[in-house]
Amino acid sequence: MYSHHSERHFSNRNNWLRASVLGANDGLISTASLLTGVATAVPDFQTLLLTGVSALIGGAVSMAAGEYVSVSSQSDTEKADLHKERHELANNPDAELEELTEIYRRRGLSGALAAEVAQALMEHDALAAHARDEIGITEASAARPMQAALASAASFCAGAILPLLVALTASGAIVPALAVSTLFGLALLGYVSAKLGGAPVVPAVIRVCLWGVAALAITGFIGKLAGVAV
């Protein structure tokens, strides 16, 4: 009798989820904090517009560049490892077969079964077998620098646009409006990231909101001091 059994796993989302959540959080917190500091010191429209747009563009480019460089380094390491494996497979296939067999034996297979599995996988795609089981490189986990850079830049802009729009449209009470909208946005990000990652929601929301409160409070205090000094 056929039984359909399906489980949902979320680890395959780690790469893009990490880049997206990091970018959105950074865009929201950094832009809101900067605008809060400026609004506390010099709350005029032109200054807020220039500050917000500069923060959005500069932050997005910075996030993209940083993510691209970081993931490119990871990609270079993966390529070097794969090149080494190709060389070993071409020059020492028997040793590589023994190595793969030992990996499966340590994972619980009997010696004979481990050897049979290793032989079958080597005949099917030797490089893919060693990349996956020896090095830990899979299609889902492989480094993709441009994808990571674009995801970070786009998510930064998505996070930064909220405080920018609030600062430019709020009438009078800019700082309170920024605080409320930022905390709402952070709570939403914490909720979404927890749901997408299959993690508990409450700790994720509390964690991100606490850091948001700290950032807004510090920059608001600095802006207040600067405003008094001016």
Side-chain angles (χ1 to χ4, degrees), residues 98-108 133-134:
E98 292 178 8
E99 185 176 41
L100 200 60
T101 299
E102 179 61 19
I103 290 173
Y104 298 143
R105 190 191 64 77
R106 289 198 303 266
R107 292 182 180 178
D133 295 319
E134 181 184 349

Side-chain angles (χ1 to χ4, degrees), residues 24 27-28 31 35 52 56 154-168:
L28 182 53
T31 305
L35 287 170
L56 188 150
S155 57
F156 184 96
C157 291
I161 197 69
L162 175 62
L164 176 58
L165 290 176
V166 170
L168 298 180

Side-chain angles (χ1 to χ4, degrees), residues 25-225:
N25 272 282
D26 193 15
L28 182 53
I29 292 179
S30 62
T31 305
S33 299
L34 186 58
L35 287 170
T36 297
V38 172
T40 306
V42 189
D44 69 272
F45 180 84
Q46 293 298 329
T47 302
L48 290 175
L49 176 61
L50 179 60
T51 300
V53 172
S54 299
L56 188 150
I57 296 174
V61 173
S62 176
M63 285 289 295
E67 196 72 17
Y68 184 83
V69 170
S70 175
V71 179
S72 291
S73 298
Q74 179 187 341
S75 179
D76 290 342
T77 301
E78 291 178 356
K79 290 176 182 177
D81 283 341
L82 291 175
H83 177 74
K84 185 184 299 182
E85 280 302 313
R86 287 191 187 94
H87 179 270
E88 292 298 320
L89 287 168
N91 294 278
N92 302 293
D94 292 338
E96 289 298 299
L97 176 59
E98 292 178 8
E99 185 176 41
L100 200 60
T101 299
E102 179 61 19
I103 290 173
Y104 298 143
R105 190 191 64 77
R106 289 198 303 266
R107 292 182 180 178
L109 299 184
S110 65
L113 182 56
E116 183 179 351
V117 172
Q119 181 66 46
L121 290 177
M122 287 278 286
E123 292 175 357
H124 175 68
D125 191 334
L127 182 60
H130 281 271
R132 179 183 62 250
D133 295 319
E134 181 184 349
I135 307 173
I137 300 175
T138 64
E139 181 65 25
S141 66
R144 296 179 176 83
M146 187 56 67
Q147 182 187 70
L150 293 176
S152 293
S155 57
F156 184 96
C157 291
I161 197 69
L162 175 62
L164 176 58
L165 290 176
V166 170
L168 298 180
T169 57
S171 55
I174 298 175
V175 174
L178 278 172
V180 171
S181 60
T182 299
L183 291 179
F184 173 79
L186 289 173
L188 182 60
L189 277 175
Y191 174 83
V192 171
S193 63
K195 283 295 185 181
L196 288 176
V201 170
V202 175
V205 171
I206 292 176
R207 183 168 56 237
V208 72
C209 285
L210 285 177
W211 281 106
V213 169
L216 293 173
I218 292 171
T219 53
F221 178 71
I222 293 174
K224 190 70 174 178
L225 290 179

